[in-house]
Amino acid sequence: MERTTFSLLFYIRRDKTNKKGEAPVFMRLIINGERADASIKRFIEPHAWNSAKGKANEKSRGGKDLNLSF
């Protein structure tokens, strides 16, 4: 029986900031080594993103709402 692997992570694209200085949040889905990236249509200020945890800082404006949405 073949083993199936699954991974999901969230990240921001700091190079694609909008006019307000907010970066889009992306989702990366990996199934059996096949990778797919998609935008979740949400934006956050780059300083309010915790890259190590892959989520928004909850004390930032809108951070808790963003984390609850995914």
Side-chain angles (χ1 to χ4, degrees):
M1 190 164 156
E2 189 175 330
R3 185 175 183 173
T4 302
T5 60
F6 173 84
S7 176
L8 177 68
L9 63 94
F10 295 92
Y11 64 98
I12 62 170
R13 294 283 308 263
R14 295 179 193 271
D15 60 332
K16 303 260 186 204
T17 57
N18 61 14
K19 291 179 181 178
K20 295 180 184 177
E22 299 171 326
V25 180
F26 278 76
M27 169 186 67
R28 177 170 287 162
L29 178 64
I30 305 170
I31 300 174
N32 292 335
E34 296 288 325
R35 182 173 73 181
D37 295 329
S39 172
I40 64 166
K41 309 287 190 225
R42 298 289 302 268
F43 291 84
I44 188 167
E45 296 172 359
H47 67 81
W49 185 257
N50 186 333
S51 296
K53 293 183 178 180
K55 65 180 191 173
N57 295 325
E58 297 211 357
K59 293 183 179 181
S60 67
R61 182 173 44 93
K64 193 168 191 173
D65 292 334
L66 179 64
N67 289 341
L68 291 174
S69 69
F70 55 81

